[in-house]
């Protein structure tokens, strides 16, 4: 069974991807501080404080899965939760995402028009045919792709 690392920027689909992989593949969640073991999935936001542990997992797992949403949609989500004022955390996570790219992750852009093709590539990576209705855990349907870029309320 695959071992998966799920590093993410907050509000890009972390819980959606975690649920998809835990139910679709049968993975068991482990903390980033735990040892990598078969059938485990570790999720963590791309904060500087976790990058050492994330790098350790990245070098030892079968698949790295990075959920993505359009940055404008993420900014709107952060703003609704009163988190957009913390630009240091915003910059930190997006900067660290660039570092994760060197590990050749499987991206899962939940609001992209070709998200089905990305899901197929992820299925190949974990060795299980995954399917989804693209419904996040908060039960609000994800918008049809592409995402509108209007940030006004």
């Amino acid at each position: 069974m695959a071992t998966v690392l799920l590093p993410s920027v907050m509000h890009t689909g972390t819980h959606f991807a975690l649920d998809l992989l835990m139910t679709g593949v049968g993975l068991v969640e482990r903390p980033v501080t735990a040892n990598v073991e078969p059938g485990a999935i570790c999720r963590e936001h791309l904060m500087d404080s976790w990058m050492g542990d994330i790098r350790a997992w990245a070098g030892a797992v079968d698949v790295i899965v990075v959920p993505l949403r359009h940055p404008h949609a993420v900014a709107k989500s952060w703003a609704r939760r009163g988190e957009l004022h913390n630009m240091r955390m915003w910059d930190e996570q997006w900067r660290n995402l660039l570092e994760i790219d060197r590990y050749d992750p499987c991206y899962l852009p939940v609001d992209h028009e070709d998200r089905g093709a990305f899901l197929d590539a992820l299925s190949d990576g974990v060795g299980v045919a995954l399917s989804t209705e693209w419904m996040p855990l908060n039960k609000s349907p994800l918008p049809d792709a592409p995402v509108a870029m209007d940030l006004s309320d």
Side-chain angles (χ1 to χ4, degrees):
M1 182 176 296
T3 305
V4 176
L5 173 63
L6 182 67
S8 65
V9 173
M10 290 168 42
H11 306 290
T12 56
T14 308
H15 293 283
F16 170 79
L18 180 67
D19 183 64
L20 174 69
L21 291 162
M22 287 179 68
T23 59
V25 181
L27 300 174
V28 177
E29 187 175 11
R30 297 285 184 249
V32 73
T33 54
N35 292 329
V36 177
E37 57 189 65
I41 184 170
C42 171
R43 69 174 161 108
E44 194 56 69
H45 294 305
L46 289 162
M47 304 296 296
D48 285 346
S49 59
W50 291 111
M51 287 306 292
D53 292 314
I54 288 172
R55 284 183 205 100
W57 270 72
V61 298
D62 300 309
V63 181
I64 300 172
V65 180
V66 177
L68 287 177
R69 288 174 67 201
H70 193 286
H72 285 124
V74 177
K76 286 177 74 170
S77 181
W78 281 46
R80 278 193 307 273
R81 291 166 177 84
E83 297 168 346
L84 197 53
H85 70 282
N86 192 343
M87 291 309 294
R88 181 197 58 77
M89 189 184 325
W90 172 272
D91 291 341
E92 185 176 301
Q93 291 182 57
W94 288 104
R95 176 179 33 82
N96 287 330
L97 177 60
L98 295 175
E99 180 182 336
I100 292 299
D101 186 65
R102 73 180 177 162
Y103 294 99
D104 196 28
C106 289
Y107 288 102
L108 186 61
V110 299
D111 57 2
H112 191 276
E113 62 189 15
D114 293 328
R115 62 190 179 189
F118 286 92
L119 183 64
D120 291 343
L122 175 56
S123 295
D124 292 343
V126 296
V128 175
L130 298 169
S131 64
T132 181
E133 296 297 320
W134 300 101
M135 184 74 67
L137 295 183
N138 68 8
K139 305 303 183 219
S140 300
L142 291 168
D144 292 333
V147 167
M149 295 181 18
D150 179 14
L151 289 175
S152 63
D153 286 324

